[in-house]
Amino acid sequence: MSISDEKVAIISTPCQIQAAAKIQKFLDTPIKLKIGLFCMENFSYSYFKEHLKKYNIDYDSIKKFRIEKGHAFITLDDDSITKIPLGELKSVVRKNCHICMDLTSQNADISVGSIGSDDNYSTVIIRNLDAQHIIDDAIKQNYFTSKPLTQKQIGILNKLSQKKKHDNQENIEDHELRSKPVLYTREISDNEILSQNMESNFTDLKDNVIDVGACVLCGACEYLCPDNLIIIDDTKPRKQGKCRDDCHMCFTFCPRTYTPEDLKVDCDDMGNYLNIMTLKSNDNYITQDGGVITTLIKYLLDHDIITKAMVVDKKDDNAWKPYAKLTDDMDEIIKSAGSKYSVCPVFKALGED
Ligand code: SF4
Ligand code: SF4
Ligand code: SF4
């Protein structure tokens, strides 16, 4: 099956879901469902690896990685656990995360995370009717057990969403003084956005996103460049060769450039949603998200709602180095489950199939 015939679910961070939402809005795309993860921040792969040397931790010996109650818990192959305060890891957080306001993937169809939920459950935010049908049917067919969130739990999630925005607001204002204020400028209309985009190309992307530390390394620019001029290494996108005159694709679809009115993510809480609940997987997948995402993908594949899931796995020969792939193989999906805490260009996978 060619990629254009596939029906793909993307499972990713809020920033990458933002790119997927832009692509879905304007282009013919195999992306059919966006499952967004809650995300407070993400680490630079190389800086984090370097930092762990302080604890004599070899990246390749990490078996499990989890963030909870202000600490990172790192379980090694010998089952020993090292606890690192998150405050200490601030220096290895990616620069772009300091100007990010979206905790709960406001542009996803379904958002999933552990904040607010009891042990073995995940918090699930349902943002549109199609997503509601999917979750209702999956519960009915016994894929999940559901439980409502209490007002207190919803309050925790709202409070953390507001905290993320509040903490980063000053950085955003500073960022917009140093570059074209594309990131959170909402005063201009969709028509003005269109005309700004029509005047912009890779040079503008480089000056206003990449070189000022706003790139989220999503890979949308690389995926959409019609002449394959963009290459993403571990740190940032680079261009090789001359752009065609009439192309604006990379600038237009970058999640850190102008965003249409209906895809704004600058509201004060968790964004628009129809329903919020907690779910527990009725399968026995042992993963960081309690198996909810893995079970959701299984339901979507079983019912032909999607044909492939775009998941982020880690390299066998380079542990915790994430890379994205498309798959319908449940063994691979189970193997890739859980957060990686480091980003990778997910859209690359759409171009590789
Ligand atoms: S920019 Fe950073 S904090 Fe924001 S969603 Fe992406 S990875 Fe998470
Ligand atoms: S050809 Fe288009 S998408 Fe490719 S780098 Fe140039 S402006 Fe960007
Ligand atoms: S510059 Fe490219 S890789 Fe970076 S955020 Fe924008 S689209 Fe994604």
Side-chain angles (χ1 to χ4, degrees):
M1 195 189 284
S2 84
I3 185 67
S4 57
D5 297 324
E6 300 282 7
K7 295 179 280 184
V8 173
I10 174 172
I11 300 102
S12 199
T13 52
C15 54
Q16 303 195 337
I17 291 293
Q18 174 86 357
K22 278 175 130 181
I23 290 170
Q24 252 189 338
K25 182 174 168 75
F26 295 109
L27 302 177
D28 193 16
T29 170
I31 299 171
K32 292 292 171 259
L33 191 76
K34 305 181 299 300
I35 302 172
L37 309 169
F38 294 178
C39 181
M40 191 56 99
E41 60 201 3
N42 227 307
F43 303 133
S44 151
Y45 173 76
S46 49
Y47 289 165
F48 187 43
K49 189 173 178 176
E50 195 56 36
H51 190 85
L52 291 182
K53 286 185 183 162
K54 188 172 146 187
Y55 290 88
N56 290 323
I57 293 177
D58 175 8
Y59 232 57
D60 292 348
S61 63
I62 298 176
K63 186 160 90 180
K64 194 169 158 199
F65 189 93
R66 145 179 87 86
I67 287 186
E68 210 175 283
K69 298 189 173 110
H71 287 81
F73 294 84
I74 298 170
T75 309
L76 302 183
D77 285 337
D78 63 4
D79 286 330
S80 62
I81 297 177
T82 303
K83 182 176 162 187
I84 305 177
L86 279 185
E88 191 189 305
L89 293 175
K90 284 286 167 213
S91 60
V92 302
V93 170
R94 283 181 58 84
K95 239 178 167 181
N96 54 283
C97 299
H98 295 302
I99 51 169
C100 175
M101 296 204 288
D102 189 0
L103 174 76
T104 59
S105 283
Q106 293 182 25
N107 280 308
D109 301 301
I110 300 170
S111 304
V112 181
S114 58
I115 300 170
S117 48
D118 295 336
D119 285 354
N120 299 321
Y121 280 79
S122 291
T123 301
V124 175
I125 304 174
I126 299 160
R127 299 192 186 271
N128 55 48
L129 273 177
D130 287 346
Q132 183 75 64
H133 290 319
I134 287 169
I135 297 296
D136 285 349
D137 193 53
I139 294 169
K140 200 169 138 200
Q141 293 199 36
N142 206 29
Y143 283 76
F144 297 114
T145 301
S146 69
K147 202 163 74 165
L149 253 83
T150 62
Q151 282 310 313
K152 189 175 167 200
Q153 288 171 317
I154 293 175
I156 291 169
L157 196 45
N158 266 325
K159 202 168 151 194
L160 284 175
S161 299
Q162 287 159 11
K163 181 177 178 333
K164 180 169 179 180
K165 182 183 172 186
H166 179 262
D167 288 354
N168 288 341
Q169 188 75 51
E170 204 175 307
N171 301 332
I172 289 163
E173 281 158 19
D174 179 55
H175 170 87
E176 297 207 327
L177 284 177
R178 286 182 289 119
S179 63
K180 198 168 170 178
V182 289
L183 186 58
Y184 288 103
T185 296
R186 303 301 178 203
E187 291 79 19
I188 66 174
S189 68
D190 281 4
N191 279 343
E192 284 170 284
I193 287 176
L194 192 64
S195 82
Q196 293 264 5
N197 286 345
M198 289 300 122
E199 290 167 11
S200 306
N201 60 18
F202 186 84
T203 305
D204 302 277
L205 188 69
K206 185 171 182 305
D207 291 349
N208 299 292
V209 177
I210 301 167
D211 287 354
V212 291
C215 170
V216 304
L217 218 64
C218 69
C221 54
E222 180 187 41
Y223 163 56
L224 292 171
C225 177
D227 295 328
N228 298 319
L229 300 182
I230 300 177
I231 295 161
I232 300 194
D233 62 18
D234 277 350
T235 53
K236 59 183 177 181
R238 301 172 202 280
K239 180 173 76 76
Q240 290 177 342
K242 190 173 178 309
C243 290
R244 47 174 88 186
D245 287 341
D246 58 348
C247 182
H248 324 283
M249 293 294 276
C250 54
F251 187 87
T252 302
F253 290 97
C254 171
R256 289 303 183 240
T257 60
Y258 297 115
T259 301
E261 180 72 24
D262 59 342
L263 301 181
K264 285 186 202 179
V265 290
D266 56 357
C267 62
D268 273 337
D269 44 34
M270 342 172 211
N272 296 327
Y273 63 93
L274 292 184
N275 203 347
I276 184 166
M277 60 176 70
T278 64
L279 292 181
K280 181 161 81 86
S281 167
N282 291 341
D283 284 314
N284 290 321
Y285 302 131
I286 310 297
T287 65
Q288 171 136 343
D289 62 26
V292 164
I293 291 175
T294 308
T295 301
L296 181 55
I297 296 171
K298 183 167 186 335
Y299 169 84
L300 295 167
L301 288 168
D302 287 350
H303 293 76
D304 198 32
I305 297 167
I306 62 167
T307 55
K308 292 265 168 72
M310 191 201 283
V311 296
V312 175
D313 202 353
K314 57 193 184 195
K315 303 249 185 206
D316 286 336
D317 59 344
N318 198 351
W320 300 97
K321 173 90 176 164
Y323 76 103
K325 65 180 177 191
L326 291 183
T327 182
D328 57 1
D329 179 335
M330 276 313 294
D331 288 340
E332 288 197 339
I333 290 162
I334 292 165
K335 179 175 160 271
S336 71
S339 302
K340 305 294 176 295
Y341 296 107
S342 185
V343 290
C344 72
V346 289
F347 293 97
K348 207 182 180 82
L350 285 180
E352 281 172 350
D353 201 58

